[in-house]
Amino acid sequence: HIWVVSSEGGAPRQLTRGDGSDTRPRWSPDGKSLAFISTRGGNSQVWILPLDGGDPRPLTSLSTEADGVTWSAKGDVLLFTSQVFPDCPDDACNSQRLKEATESKVKAQIFSELLFRHWDSWRDGRYTHVFAVSATGGPPRDLTPGAYDSPTFFLGAPDGYAISPDGTEVCYTSNRTKGSAGQSAAAWTTNNDLFIVGTKSGEPLNITSDNPGSDASPQYSPNGRYIAYTSQARNGYESDLFRLRVYDRESGKTIDLTPGFDQWVGGFAWGPDSNTIYFSAPDHARQPVFKTSVTSPKVEKVLEGMNDDLSVSPDGTWLFLTRSSLTQPTGIYRVAISGGTPMLLTHENDALLAELDMNPAEFVTTAGAQGAEIESLMLKPPGFDPNKKYPGLLLVHGGPQGAWEDAWSYRWNAQMFAAHGYAVLMTNFHGSTGYGQKFVESISGDWGGAPYQDLMNATDFLEKLDYVDKTRMVAAGASYGGFMIDWIAAHTDRFKALVSHDGVYDNPSMYGETEEIWFDEWEFKGVPWDKESMAIRLKLSPSSYVQNIKTPMLLVQGAKDFRIPEGQAFQLFSALQRRGIKSKLLYFPDEGHWVLKPQNSQLWYKMVLEWLDEHVK
């Protein structure tokens, strides 16, 4: 449900009730209405709630449903997205297609190009398009027709579309690259471009065709002159440096707003002066707020901490954002643009947090591979007693171009492990974000090299702590972290038990099972039918060393994980069982790369903790 709280603080007020889930609230420009997405009625549609009283009303009723609503600055038009059949001229056609598919006794699907499945869903012939609809209702207009995703799926990014302040133009992200046979190349390229198109009519214009990498997340400046967006320089490299750029609609020129800045630009927000932009970016396991400007493109840090979801008040006085830490779930804060201490506006978790004993993260450094200094986050158990001996737990993050951060999470929450009496170490090895782009890029083609050495050195540090029992060490990780657990299993027996969640086990077969093959091709320096690339895959494949595994392993796998498909876990589990290694497989038929359903999450924590406890307690 949707709640509202004063920007001055105070008691919150619930705005929506009833069945279904209400999400993505967006204020109308005059502040009198709220647009949101609701599943009340059984499917996802745009609804409008008048704030001066009255019931919410549906604005859309599409068979293909609606998502991602946003207002135009004038308040007369709203944008939203829907997945539609590209050759259907209207919703009646889409409705008939969906009905035929549902009622047909034949469930076979035919594919003629890649990305026929993505993350956790199968392609059914539909594409994501941006639609415009009048605030008073009526038939929506498809602004991005064609057999393309517009906007393109972009994990973790802000919206891939925006509408100009005068309401005449929409900018959106799309990958229109073709392969040599004329098919979509979206599975092996990251060349997302920004297109602009009129809201009434006109052909789309590519405004970033000069950049071979990904251009995404457009936002118009308040005065409408500029479009700010994130940009990566290299095609095929999803972990290339994210820069902040602006397109000048008057001159057609592009300006780089973050020259020399060596961290990934995340979410950003324009100031009301149409010159200043505030953005978040990782920095040593935290995510400060920075600012830059069009007229003086120089990055300046303005707020420390773990920050996200930036928004600037219309008068430019306040910055609103979310913050969290390993001891504090996400809350909404207000801080003065001129500086000061952030003020927490939401207190939904105060009573629960008062019941819990949680220690904050401690930052430690160890010697790493290649002469680097490696940072880790250390978490002690609640009620910590320095005279006791605790089992040690090494957690390995995924990505691999990601990082452990001083941030709250409902998946892999380190406090859950600490609460079971573990001294927890979370290491940001070579390849982690927040330590500069060179450090990020060092892992490509070296998955089992420097990162493994970093983790073993960090484990040495953990074992030498007076309060850690080095005879009771365990490790766990997911995604790339799952790969590393498989790699650890094949290269050392120093741990008493291991947990591998959705991990890459066999690199040669991984290429043919996964869907975003640009990632695989970049990380392993080419396609597997090239001898040099195959040599790298074999060298860095845990399956090449499975005969060395001795450590008991718990494997976790989601059936709908198309990033690291179930075949990887099945191959490893078969090998472990055949070799007589103690092992279990926890299989979720209704989860993808992440375990998201609350009841499944409860089972996940129960099984993982029981497995670790069984071997060290």
Side-chain angles (χ1 to χ4, degrees), residues 131 145 181 186 197 357 460 487 495 529 534 558 561 584 590 609:
F131 286 80
V197 68
D357 179 7
D460 292 341
W487 185 264
F495 297 98
W529 47 89
M534 178 56 81
D561 182 3
K584 282 186 179 179
D590 54 348
L609 290 166

Side-chain angles (χ1 to χ4, degrees), residues 4 13 15 26-35 48-53 71-75 314:
V4 64
R13 180 165 56 96
L15 293 182
R26 293 294 186 269
W27 294 101
S28 62
D30 61 10
K32 295 181 179 180
S33 300
L34 205 66
I48 303 290
L49 174 67
L51 295 179
D52 57 359
W71 290 87
S72 66
K74 292 183 177 180

Side-chain angles (χ1 to χ4, degrees), residues 25 44 65 92 110 136 154 178 189-190 194 233 240 295 363 397 444 484 497 503 511 529 551 570 574 599:
S44 175
E65 306 189 33
I110 301 172
T136 59
F154 207 67
K178 294 293 186 180
T189 71
T190 58
L194 295 183
D240 199 6
T295 56
F363 289 76
H397 70 68
S444 298
M484 181 52 71
Y511 181 86
W529 47 89
T551 309
F570 292 169
S574 296
Q599 291 77 12

